[in-house]
Each structure stands twice: as structure tokens, then as C-alpha cells.
């Protein structure tokens, strides 16, 4: 399935049905009087966040959504039926924006949440509504009220417990494949990942969390360089971050500064998220090089990085345990990080 996280669509609610002009004509009832029914109300346009979706690809091939017009009223005081509603099913984390693509109208961040986007028009009154002592045989009825219409943008921001951040070729996809059942594309060139990938990490039957692989960032991404800010929005939804640094590159400290600079430049609280720093690809480093690179990172970041290898699996259980401790914190649980990391993890690379 292709990944699509933005879509512009046209929505229109149904117009109300027209009222009926009708008179009662029955045998032995000479003065039957008006009996026109009301028109039915037009259909509404709803949006609903559902589980099991992680892309807006359905809105790539259909951009116009129109609710049904209400049925017209009929004689014998038969009212028209309401028009069918239109329900837009979107992934959890979808935002509804105005046509200017800036004003956020709704944030569908909870599964099962349903919101009314456009209300259908009211049905017109039949001539029965207008009868009275003065006008005992009204020969007019109201037309139905017109429906509403507008263009909106749908923008998806994936919701994950942990987001993977790092430069291109930092080994994020390899780590995701090792830590979860996800199978992202892995290759030895930059920008292998062009769309975000989600994976479910199962530490044990009762310890599960979602991790997201965000396409690699480069210097100037917050200003549009590389893949730009297109996918930084997905990081906004991540409660915490795992910052992976490629241990085989020459200047690991500069790599750390670049990503931290882009997170701060983008804003939206990304720089304030809890971050777990990890030196990746240690399977390609000697013990001396591991210590040297870790010391460089510790000097610039102010904390000791964790040592991991997505290829060999070394250090991955400990990193996942540290991530699980952060997930529990964001969920409001009391956590002892040292005890959390020390637990035996049910995990295989």
C-alpha cells in the first residue's frame, strides 16, 4: 500500500427535499384540505478516526464526497426520508485543515472519535404547514434548504510511542526491522526510506509499544532541504525519540548537532521531547573505536550514549527497555529506569 499523508478533498452536505403541495381527495369528503408532507433533511458529512489505517491513499483516487439530497414530501402527509450521510474514515492522528492549509479545524487523535463536518439542509415544509382559518387551501410549499460545501485538507501525523530520528544511513530502518515485525526497505545508500514506517515492538505479552521510522533528516531540513519538513510532523506525535548516530562516520558529534539543530528550528516542542541517544553500527567498530566515539557523543550531548547494532542485535534489548521506560512515563506510570533496563526482555532480532 502506498503511503499518503496529505490530501485535498471537496465535501458537500445534502440539500433538503422540497415540501409537497397536495390536497386530500376522497369519496364522501368534499372538503379534504391540504395534506402535503415535508421534505426530508439532507445528509450530513462526518469524519471518523478508525484503527487499522495508516495512510490517506483512499483520498488520492476520490476527492469529491457529496451527501444525498433529502427525499421530497408527498401527498397524504407523507414526509420525505432523510438523505444518506457521508462518513470519511481516516487514520488516527489525521488533522482537518481549512483550504488555506494552515487553520486546524479538527484533530482526530483518538480512535473512534466522530465529528460533524457539514450539516445537511433542512427539508421544506409541505402546504399542510400553512393552513389556517384565513388560508384554508394553501397552494405553496417551501423548497429544501441548500446543503453546505467546502474544500478541506486532510493531513496525517502518525501517532507512535517512540520516533526514530537521525541522519540518512544512520541505520534506522535496520533497527526497526530488528526490533519489530516491520520490514522497511534497507539499502546502503542515503534516503532509502522515503515514507514513515510503523512497527510494533513486543517485549512481552503485556509490554508493547509502537515505534516509527522517520525518513532521514539533513542539515537545512527545517528550511526545506532534502525531504524538508514533510515528515517532521510525524515526529510531533511521538511521545519520545530515539536518536540514532551512525558510529562508522567520521564526526559523530557533528551528526548529533545537525539533528538537534533541525528539531529546534522546526519547533512544535520537538526539541523538548525525551530523547534516548544511541550509537549505532557498533558491530563495525573495534572496542577502542566504540569508546572513542561514545566519548565524543558524551562530550557534546552531556550524557552517555547507548551502544547498539541493528545487524547483530547487540545492545538492542537494553535500548528497547529504556524506550519502554519512557513510554510508561508518558502514559503516567511510575517507572524505575534502572530496574526497567535490568529486566529480562523476551526479544529476538
Amino acid at each position: 500500500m502506498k503511503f499518503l499523508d496529505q490530501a485535498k478533498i471537496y465535501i458537500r452536505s445534502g440539500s433538503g427535499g422540497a415540501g409537497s403541495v397536495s390536497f386530500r381527495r376522497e369519496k364522501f369528503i368534499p372538503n379534504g384540505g391540504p395534506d402535503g408532507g415535508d421534505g426530508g433533511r439532507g445528509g450530513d458529512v462526518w469524519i471518523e478516526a478508525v484503527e487499522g489505517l495508516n495512510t490517506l491513499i483512499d483520498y488520492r483516487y476520490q476527492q469529491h464526497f457529496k451527501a444525498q439530497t433529502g427525499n421530497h414530501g408527498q401527498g397524504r402527509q407523507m414526509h420525505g426520508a432523510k438523505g444518506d450521510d457521508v462518513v470519511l474514515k481516516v487514520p488516527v492522528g489525521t488533522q482537518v485543515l481549512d483550504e488555506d492549509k494552515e487553520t486546524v479545524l479538527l484533530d482526530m487523535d483518538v480512535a473512534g472519535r466522530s465529528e460533524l463536518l457539514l450539516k445537511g439542509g433542512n427539508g421544506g415544509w409541505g402546504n399542510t404547514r400553512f393552513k389556517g382559518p384565513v388560508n384554508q387551501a394553501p397552494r405553496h410549499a417551501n423548497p429544501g434548504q441548500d446543503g453546505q460545501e467546502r474544500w478541506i485538507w486532510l493531513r496525517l501525523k502518525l501517532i507512535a510511542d517512540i520516533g526514530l530520528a537521525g541522519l540518512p544511513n544512520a541505520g534506522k530502518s535496520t533497527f526497526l526491522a530488528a526490533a519489530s515485525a516491520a520490514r522497511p526497505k534497507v539499502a546502503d545508500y542515503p534516503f532509502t526510506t522515503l515514507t514513515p514506517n510503523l512497527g510494533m515492538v513486543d517485549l512481552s505479552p503485556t509490554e508493547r509499544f509502537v515505534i516509527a521510522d522517520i525518513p532521514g533528516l539533513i542539515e537545512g531540513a527545517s528550511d526545506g532541504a532534502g525531504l524538508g519538513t514533510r515528515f517532521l510532523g510525524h515526529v510531533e506525535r511521538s511521545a519520545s525519540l530515539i536518536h540514532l548516530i551512525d558510529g562508522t562516520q567520521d564526526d559523530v558529534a557533528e551528526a548529533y548537532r545537525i539533528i538537534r539543530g533541525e528539531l529546534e528550528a522546526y519547533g512544535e516542542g520537538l526539541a523538548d521531547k525525551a530523547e534516548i541517544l544511541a550509537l549505532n553500527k557498533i558491530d563495525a567498530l573495534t572496542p577502542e573505536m566504540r569508546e572513542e566515539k561514545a566519548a565524543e557523543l558524551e562530550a557534546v550531548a552531556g550524557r552517555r550514549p547507548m551502544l547498539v547494532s541493528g545487524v547483530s542485535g547487540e545492545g538492542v534489548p537494553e535500548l528497547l527497555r529504556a524506550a519502554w521506560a519512557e513510554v510508561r512515563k508518558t502514559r503516567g506510570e511510575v517507572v524505575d529506569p534502572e530496574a526497567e533496563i535490568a529486566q529480562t526482555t523476551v526479544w529476538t532480532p
Side-chain angles (χ1 to χ4, degrees):
M1 179 181 293
K2 295 182 179 179
F3 181 83
L4 185 71
D5 62 351
Q6 292 184 10
K8 185 179 182 180
I9 62 174
Y10 169 85
I11 56 176
R12 190 183 194 285
S13 61
S15 299
S20 172
V21 176
S22 175
F23 294 90
R24 182 181 181 186
R25 290 181 174 85
E26 295 182 38
K27 192 175 182 180
F28 307 122
I29 303 179
N31 299 318
D35 68 348
D38 299 338
R41 194 164 66 85
D44 303 325
V45 179
W46 295 80
I47 187 169
E48 181 182 0
V50 298
E51 294 180 333
L53 295 178
N54 58 7
T55 176
L56 296 172
I57 191 64
D58 293 339
Y59 302 97
R60 168 66 177 82
Y61 304 105
Q62 181 182 357
Q63 292 87 33
H64 293 76
F65 299 87
K66 300 178 182 179
Q68 187 181 35
T69 298
N71 293 334
H72 301 315
Q74 300 180 42
R76 299 187 178 181
Q77 298 190 30
M78 290 189 293
H79 301 319
K82 180 182 179 299
D84 293 337
D85 295 339
V86 166
V87 180
L88 307 177
K89 296 185 182 296
V90 297
V92 180
T94 300
Q95 291 182 326
V96 181
L97 286 74
D98 202 355
E99 192 174 0
D100 60 9
K101 208 176 178 180
E102 295 182 357
T103 307
V104 178
L105 305 176
L106 290 172
D107 193 353
M108 310 300 291
D109 56 351
V110 178
R113 181 179 178 183
S114 182
E115 297 287 347
L116 179 64
L117 292 178
L118 295 179
K119 185 177 180 181
N122 291 324
W125 282 358
N127 65 339
T128 305
R129 298 272 191 172
F130 300 99
K131 67 180 180 180
V134 176
N135 188 6
Q136 297 182 4
R139 296 183 177 276
H140 69 277
N142 284 346
Q145 186 181 27
D146 291 335
Q148 302 172 323
E149 60 181 355
R150 71 185 306 174
W151 285 89
I152 60 172
W153 279 90
L154 300 178
R155 181 174 64 189
L156 172 62
K157 293 184 178 181
L158 294 177
I159 296 180
D161 298 301
I162 299 291
L164 292 177
L167 290 173
N169 259 16
K172 300 184 295 299
S173 297
T174 303
F175 176 81
L176 180 66
S180 69
R183 291 295 173 263
K185 182 179 179 181
V186 178
D188 59 351
Y189 54 84
F191 294 110
T192 305
T193 302
L194 297 177
T195 60
N197 295 301
L198 289 178
M200 178 67 73
V201 178
D202 288 298
L203 297 178
S204 73
T206 60
E207 299 171 314
R208 308 180 72 195
F209 62 92
V210 178
I211 191 168
D213 172 19
I214 309 300
L217 305 176
I218 63 174
E219 188 171 8
S222 59
D223 295 325
L227 295 177
T229 61
R230 176 71 181 271
F231 299 116
L232 275 172
H234 297 290
V235 185
E236 292 181 39
R237 300 289 194 179
S238 302
S240 307
L241 299 177
I242 292 179
H243 187 170
L244 288 181
I245 304 292
D246 182 0
T248 62
Q249 59 187 339
D250 297 331
D251 194 344
V252 293
E254 180 62 20
Y256 174 82
R257 292 192 190 96
I258 290 175
I259 296 300
R260 291 303 304 177
E262 294 308 314
L263 295 179
E264 293 174 0
Y266 181 78
E268 303 296 336
L270 297 190
D272 300 326
K273 292 183 179 295
E275 180 189 69
I276 303 173
L277 184 60
L279 184 66
N280 196 20
K281 303 184 182 180
I282 61 172
D283 58 289
L285 303 177
T286 64
E288 294 77 14
M289 293 179 65
R290 292 184 184 186
E291 184 59 35
E292 179 183 344
K293 300 285 186 181
E296 293 179 19
L297 274 180
E298 185 176 9
V300 68
R303 61 185 183 278
R304 183 76 176 178
M306 303 187 72
L307 305 181
V308 299
S309 170
V311 174
S312 66
E314 183 180 355
V316 174
E318 292 77 11
L319 179 56
L320 293 179
R321 274 290 166 193
W324 173 242
E326 292 296 335
V327 171
R328 292 184 61 190
K329 287 180 183 178
T330 58
R331 294 176 181 176
E333 302 178 18
V334 179
V335 180
D336 182 356
E338 295 183 0
E340 199 54 52
I341 297 175
Q343 290 184 22
T344 302
T345 302
V346 181
W347 177 89
T348 54

